């Protein structure tokens, strides 16, 4: 798939800009702070309904404005769809497809698929487990949009259950009413959690070979890289789940395992007032040779690992139904040595569409000559 047209209004630093795009490589060059990343962020928002830089929508709306508009025309196998999003801080977004309103913004997920590699991705390796869970869940949604609903159901159940644990824990003693209400919420959490957990495990099983291969490609002299899902279920996780070539994770079976685990940890949960088992406590382990990447890997190794996670995601998505994702490389060539640059350029050249940003032309490998835009104060002009 590719984006044929991007239009943004009052998004970040942009009051209004119209950019016609083409398949193949497109390079956006401009000085720091001119709004290059803002454009990729706008595109990423259409694909994921979230920003890779901020957790709330407020900073996305241009200062002094009420709402931002992002419109993309997306071509997927000769079929074109126009997705328009209205982003308003503090209230629900509105979405339109081909100028007609859709039920929920979530309904646009899947129309545009993107993989973005950006300087923020160092946090995938060095940041908290939450960063890696977010990485998995976002990829899950790109892979199958229905997981946006699964994810949000799980978050709701978790919140309610935690509130109940807190209030029941305070009362202490045996409160039969609280106990039976908790039973009900255990059941909800187990069901919703098992859906999410099974999907993550199967994702990691499928992603792991691509990531290992991508890492070997960008850092052939380094120790091999490996990813593995670490579940809060520990030993109770059925054998082979989450492993390449292992048994596919079954949500029904996992719901049962979760139910048992929740029962076993109830006393501890009441004492602490939080849910201690479930996908919200899980981790994606990143391992180099036999040491964890986090806390041990060098800057270059961490950066290569982050790149491998993105390239692995890209390879995974492009090999499945739904349309080849648009690849976006934000300001990443300057950080890489010669060999890594060449490897990334090679992947980029094979992409149906790749959007590259850089502060100066010299940062972009010569092979990636495609369409070039100059990004200057308030305007984008094609060279
Ligand atoms: N909500 C907003 N309203 C107005 N301006 C904003 C808003 N959010 C960010 N900006 C401005 O956008 C600019 C940053 O844009 P962006 O990150 O896209 O730059 P860039 O071209 O990618 O720069 P670099 O080369 O340094 O990465 C900053 O000057 C910032 O002040
Ligand atoms: Mg930038």
């Amino acid at each position: 798939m590719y984006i044929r047209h991007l239009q943004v209004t009052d998004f970040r630093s942009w009051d209004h800009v119209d950019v016609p795009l083409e398949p193949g490589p497109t390079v956006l060059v401009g000085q720091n702070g001119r709004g290059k990343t803002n454009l990729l962020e706008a595109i990423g928002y259409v694909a994921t309904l979230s920003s890779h830089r901020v957790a709330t929508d407020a900073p996305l709306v241009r200062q002094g404005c009420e709402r931002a508009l992002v419109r993309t025309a997306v071509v997927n196998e000769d079929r074109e769809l126009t997705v328009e999003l209205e982003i308003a801080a503090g209230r629900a977004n509105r979405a339109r497809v081909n100028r007609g309103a859709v039920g929920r913004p979530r309904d646009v997920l899947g129309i545009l698929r993107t993989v973005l590699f950006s300087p923020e991705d160092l946090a995938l390796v060095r940041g908290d487990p939450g960063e890696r869970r977010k990485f998995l869940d976002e990829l899950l949604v790109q892979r199958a949009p229905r997981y946006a609903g699964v994810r949000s159901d799980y978050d709701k159940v978790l919140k309610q259950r935690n509130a109940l644990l807190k209030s029941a824990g305070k009362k202490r003693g045996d409160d039969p009413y609280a106990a039976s209400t908790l039973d009900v919420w255990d059941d909800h959490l187990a069901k919703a959690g098992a859906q999410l957990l099974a999907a993550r495990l199967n994702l990691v099983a499928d992603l792991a070979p691509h990531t290992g291969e991508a890492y070997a490609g960008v850092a052939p002299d380094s120790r091999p890289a490996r990813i593995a899902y670490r579940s809060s279920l520990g030993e109770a996780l059925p054998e082979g789940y989450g492993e390449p070539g292992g048994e596919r994770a079954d949500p029904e079976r996992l719901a049962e395992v979760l139910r048992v685990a929740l029962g076993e940890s109830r006393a501890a949960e009441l004492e602490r007032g939080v849910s201690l088992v479930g996908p919200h406590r899980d981790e994606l382990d990143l391992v180099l040779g036999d040491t964890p990447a986090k806390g041990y890997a060098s800057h270059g190794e961490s950066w290569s690992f982050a790149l491998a996670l993105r390239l692995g995601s890209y390879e995974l998505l492009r090999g499945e139904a739904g349309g080849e994702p648009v690849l976006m490389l934000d300001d990443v060539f300057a950080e890489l040595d010669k060999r890594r640059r060449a490897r990334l350029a090679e992947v980029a050249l094979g992409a149906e569409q790749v959007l590259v940003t850089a502060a100066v032309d010299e940062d972009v490998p010569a092979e990636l000559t495609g369409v070039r835009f100059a990004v200057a104060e308030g305007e984008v002009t094609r060279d």
Side-chain angles (χ1 to χ4, degrees):
M1 72 173 56
Y2 67 95
I3 302 165
R4 194 185 55 74
H5 197 151
L6 167 69
Q7 197 179 61
V8 306
T9 305
D10 296 332
F11 184 91
R12 291 277 197 188
S13 57
W14 294 100
D15 62 347
H16 186 81
V17 69
D18 248 300
V19 192
L21 295 164
E22 291 169 21
T26 290
V27 181
L28 301 156
V29 181
Q31 289 171 25
N32 295 141
R34 289 295 189 267
K36 304 179 296 291
T37 302
N38 294 345
L39 292 175
L40 299 192
E41 188 179 31
I43 292 172
Y45 197 95
V46 173
T48 62
L49 296 179
S50 68
S51 153
H52 70 289
R53 294 198 283 193
V54 285
T56 58
D57 287 344
L60 305 180
V61 179
R62 192 159 76 100
Q63 247 157 31
C65 300
E66 294 262 305
R67 61 207 168 94
L69 282 177
V70 181
R71 183 187 291 162
T72 54
V74 182
V75 181
N76 190 1
E77 293 185 357
D78 299 328
R79 181 157 172 256
E80 180 167 315
L81 288 174
T82 303
V83 184
E84 189 179 302
L85 285 178
E86 183 185 307
I87 305 162
R91 67 182 157 84
N93 293 343
R94 262 185 268 180
R96 280 145 65 92
V97 174
N98 288 347
R99 301 192 182 263
V102 294
R104 286 174 304 192
R106 218 196 265 166
D107 296 336
V108 310
L109 290 169
I111 296 178
L112 174 63
R113 308 212 292 174
T114 59
V115 171
L116 167 64
F117 180 50
S118 75
E120 281 74 16
D121 286 335
L122 206 49
L124 284 179
V125 182
R126 301 202 156 164
D128 295 333
E131 299 279 350
R132 289 175 287 281
R133 288 193 294 265
K134 182 168 167 246
F135 162 76
L136 288 178
D137 290 345
E138 272 183 10
L139 185 55
L140 209 57
V141 172
Q142 295 260 308
R143 205 179 185 199
R146 77 175 188 91
Y147 284 103
V150 170
R151 179 64 222 274
S152 115
D153 288 348
Y154 183 72
D155 287 347
K156 275 186 223 146
V157 172
L158 183 64
K159 224 169 146 182
Q160 304 245 28
R161 188 172 183 274
N162 283 346
L164 192 66
L165 282 172
K166 260 198 197 85
S167 66
K170 269 193 204 118
K171 282 186 205 141
R172 299 181 188 266
D174 286 328
D175 176 349
Y177 175 71
S180 71
T181 319
L182 260 175
D183 286 343
V184 174
W185 284 102
D186 280 10
D187 193 53
H188 289 324
L189 193 84
K191 277 199 188 113
Q195 292 281 333
L196 183 61
L197 179 56
R200 281 195 198 161
L201 287 163
N202 291 332
L203 172 66
V204 171
D206 297 339
L207 178 65
H210 291 294
T211 308
E213 214 169 284
Y215 189 86
V218 293
D221 300 333
S222 171
R223 292 163 295 166
R226 163 172 86 71
I227 63 171
Y229 195 81
R230 177 146 51 98
S231 163
S232 50
L233 287 170
E235 298 282 294
L237 190 76
E239 207 172 313
Y241 276 24
E243 285 163 26
E247 193 181 334
R248 299 304 278 180
D250 169 26
E252 309 249 316
R253 185 164 169 206
L254 281 172
E256 209 35 61
V257 179
L258 271 168
R259 248 180 237 117
V260 173
L262 286 168
E264 284 168 358
S265 55
R266 171 140 337 153
E269 292 189 321
L270 279 168
E271 189 163 321
R272 298 193 31 198
V274 287
S275 301
L276 296 173
V277 265
H280 66 289
R281 306 277 295 194
D282 295 354
E283 167 69 299
L284 178 69
D285 283 331
L286 310 180
V287 187
L288 263 185
D290 49 17
T291 44
K294 187 176 169 170
Y296 291 89
S298 74
H299 177 78
E301 286 170 336
S302 303
W303 187 242
S304 298
F305 214 134
L307 176 58
L309 288 170
R310 293 301 182 194
L311 291 181
S313 306
Y314 179 72
E315 292 299 337
L316 175 75
L317 289 176
R318 88 196 293 202
E320 295 181 342
E324 186 169 315
V326 173
L327 186 60
M328 302 197 284
L329 305 173
D330 186 21
D331 214 1
V332 294
F333 284 105
E335 281 267 359
L336 301 172
D337 63 23
K338 222 165 137 196
R339 179 178 338 192
R340 283 165 216 212
R341 265 182 188 219
R343 176 69 196 118
L344 187 55
E346 199 181 307
V347 174
L349 272 176
E352 184 173 347
Q353 184 175 49
V354 54
L355 309 174
V356 177
T357 73
V360 289
D361 285 305
E362 297 79 76
D363 285 345
V364 185
E367 308 92 285
L368 280 182
T369 45
V371 179
R372 184 185 179 284
F373 286 98
V375 182
E377 198 72 62
E379 57 178 16
V380 177
T381 31
R382 186 168 171 162
D383 288 350

